[in-house]
Amino acid sequence: MNSPKKDGDDDVPVKDPVKYGELVILGYNGSLPSGDRGRRKSRFALYRRAKANGVKPSAVHILNTPQDSKAVHSRGQHSISFTLSRNQTVVVEYCHDNNTDMFQIGRSTESPIDFVVTDTSGGGKEGEDPSIAPSTISRFACRVVCERNPPYTARIYAAGFDSSKNIFLGEKATKWKNPDGHMDGLTTNGVLVMHPEGFPEDPKQGLWREISVCGDVYALRETRSGPSRGKLAEGESSALRDGSLVDLCGATLLWRTGEGLMRAPTLRHLEALRQELNASRPQCPVGLSTLAFPSLPRSHSLEERQPWVYLACGHVHGRHDWGQRSEREEEPGESEGTATRRECPLCRSVGPYVPLWLGSEPAVYVDAGAPTHAFVPCGHVCSERTARYWAETPLPHGTHAFRPVCPFCSTALSSPGWTRLIFQGPID
């Protein structure tokens, strides 16, 4: 696990390309703002490794002196240390498991991490200076363990093994001994998971739960880093399903199974939908110019024929200066931190007026429907079912709040979080 890792090396086998699935960071619309590089990217494909690297619990040691601890750790085995007091530590040793592959996710760029994840800001842009807003994502946040044989079940566990092959839960960490005698615990900010039912055909949101270091499922703590664990969720599993969401307190990941990805739309399909929409020659009702969505993937630089929308009503226009409200007409606090409010020339509705961008991360789509709806207030465009699903899916926010966000840019959504787009066809 700790051999030097080259950037871009996902351990993709040559002759046996079994794909367990993909983890996609919500909010980046297909790639990181600075581009995907090596282990730092917006999505990570998990393939069956050429050689199994999974581990499973074996011996348990109760240590009373630092010398005992040093002796156990010097064996070079993976282990989890639970510090009960200054004088007592429980160390659970792990041995090699030929039947599983392990993948580790976290903020650290050290070699044990397979997928480097940093905080996602509300606008989908990486923080320019990490010292201004310290990351809340753990350096070794979680690990996904996949069975090497069908049905290739993937299970998630809180915390990852560091460069010394250890997971260390200190004296202040939330930990406990289960009735069957095995130790378990939670990480500082927790790893939260939501398993939807029926994703993507008829998706219904599940309950957000917390995953322990040993992979058990618990109700949420009172606050994100509270000292007391929630109640054990009897009968619930840490096995990921197609559409499962994993929140690392700073970034939310979407899990798509290999089978689910085969049924999902592709970037080529989204490009065909874009071309079909442009071929219908939508027009600006004011300037009578023909509108066109930029090609995928695209930058966030506005183009001359870019469609814009009045979010209050959904009427699509080109960019123009008609209908701007004067400052004295706006309500108190209205202009601060919000899009400029404009009056739609077709129906006189007043509201934000923003450019439209096609959502170009295929994994977040729940169907291959036409791009008919836009998220409010960001203006990302997708199918109706996709817009409705994400607008009704609250994601963790802060210490104990939840809110729906645009899956393409992570902007917090209004209520309702989408609008139906109304295009005007050519008049000739």
Side-chain angles (χ1 to χ4, degrees):
M1 182 66 210
N2 292 319
S3 58
K5 189 187 270 64
K6 295 177 183 177
D7 276 356
D9 179 13
D10 288 343
D11 204 355
V12 179
V14 177
K15 295 181 180 178
D16 188 24
V18 173
K19 190 175 191 176
Y20 298 128
E22 286 189 10
L23 286 167
V24 179
I25 311 176
L26 297 184
Y28 288 117
N29 204 19
S31 68
L32 299 181
S34 56
D36 290 349
R37 294 189 180 91
R39 290 175 291 146
R40 187 171 181 175
K41 46 196 168 186
S42 67
R43 61 195 299 153
F44 173 61
L46 286 70
Y47 288 93
R48 183 161 66 184
R49 297 185 186 274
K51 184 180 178 183
N53 74 329
V55 293
K56 58 186 177 182
S58 57
V60 178
H61 306 272
I62 299 176
L63 312 176
N64 297 311
T65 67
Q67 288 77 17
D68 292 340
S69 179
K70 190 174 181 181
V72 169
H73 291 142
S74 67
R75 297 183 193 183
Q77 297 280 96
H78 286 83
S79 62
I80 301 181
S81 304
F82 301 88
T83 304
L84 305 182
S85 67
R86 291 180 64 185
N87 301 318
Q88 192 175 61
T89 299
V90 175
V91 176
V92 181
E93 274 192 308
Y94 279 65
C95 63
H96 181 69
D97 183 0
N98 281 320
N99 298 313
T100 61
D101 286 333
M102 180 169 67
F103 303 87
Q104 301 209 138
I105 299 106
R107 178 170 49 89
S108 172
T109 55
E110 293 179 34
S111 62
I113 294 297
D114 297 282
F115 185 26
V116 179
V117 176
T118 52
D119 296 66
T120 306
S121 63
K125 295 182 173 59
E126 298 164 283
E128 291 178 8
D129 185 355
S131 63
I132 296 174
S135 177
T136 49
I137 298 174
S138 172
R139 295 175 66 245
F140 301 90
C142 66
R143 59 201 193 277
V144 174
V145 176
C146 302
E147 293 178 4
R148 289 173 62 83
N149 298 308
Y152 308 116
T153 304
R155 291 182 172 85
I156 188 160
Y157 300 80
F161 294 99
D162 62 18
S163 295
S164 60
K165 300 184 180 180
N166 185 240
I167 292 172
F168 179 78
L169 293 177
E171 231 178 304
K172 294 181 180 179
T174 302
K175 54 193 174 303
W176 61 89
K177 181 184 283 189
N178 282 307
D180 64 2
H182 83 265
M183 294 294 298
D184 204 350
L186 304 174
T187 53
T188 303
N189 289 328
V191 174
L192 308 189
V193 173
M194 189 274 278
H195 302 303
E197 295 281 352
F199 188 93
E201 291 83 5
D202 184 25
K204 291 181 176 57
Q205 292 77 10
L207 295 173
W208 280 96
R209 300 296 199 194
E210 181 161 10
I211 302 296
S212 72
V213 171
C214 294
D216 285 336
V217 185
Y218 290 86
L220 302 184
R221 290 179 261 183
E222 285 191 17
T223 59
R224 189 70 192 242
S225 56
S228 302
R229 74 173 193 265
K231 187 178 178 182
L232 179 68
E234 299 278 358
E236 295 189 30
S237 166
S238 65
L240 298 173
R241 305 175 192 166
D242 194 27
S244 288
L245 293 173
V246 178
D247 189 83
L248 303 180
C249 195
T252 305
L253 313 182
L254 168 68
W255 169 255
R256 296 303 309 266
T257 61
E259 187 181 346
L261 286 167
M262 289 174 69
R263 299 194 306 267
T266 63
L267 198 56
R268 184 178 296 176
H269 179 84
L270 298 182
E271 173 63 15
L273 290 175
R274 180 193 75 87
Q275 291 180 9
E276 187 178 334
L277 183 56
N278 286 349
S280 68
R281 295 172 58 210
Q283 287 203 333
C284 172
V286 172
L288 301 181
S289 56
T290 301
L291 308 176
F293 282 95
S295 59
L296 301 175
R298 48 88 202 104
S299 66
H300 252 91
S301 55
L302 287 167
E303 297 194 4
E304 187 181 349
R305 296 200 295 159
Q306 186 105 16
W308 285 59
V309 66
Y310 289 89
L311 291 175
C313 58
H315 283 117
V316 178
H317 290 244
R319 188 174 190 177
H320 58 71
D321 297 323
W322 196 94
Q324 294 195 45
R325 302 193 71 190
S326 64
E327 287 185 20
R328 62 174 175 270
E329 287 183 284
E330 293 185 4
E331 295 174 14
E334 213 171 55
S335 60
E336 197 170 329
T338 60
T340 305
R341 289 173 64 84
R342 301 275 286 271
E343 183 178 88
C344 173
L346 295 183
C347 67
R348 302 288 184 178
S349 295
V350 175
Y353 175 64
V354 300
L356 292 173
W357 306 96
L358 283 172
S360 55
E361 174 48 75
V364 307
Y365 281 77
V366 301
D367 68 353
T372 56
H373 286 61
F375 286 108
V376 178
C378 60
H380 277 104
V381 180
C382 59
S383 68
E384 178 179 3
R385 287 187 58 231
T386 299
R388 287 180 181 273
Y389 176 73
W390 289 106
E392 295 168 4
T393 303
L395 304 186
H397 173 64
T399 57
H400 55 269
F402 291 82
R403 66 182 187 186
V405 304
C406 170
F408 301 111
C409 69
S410 287
T411 297
L413 299 180
S414 306
S415 182
W418 51 268
T419 187
R420 183 175 67 86
L421 298 176
I422 304 171
F423 291 94
Q424 176 168 304
I427 57 175
D428 53 20

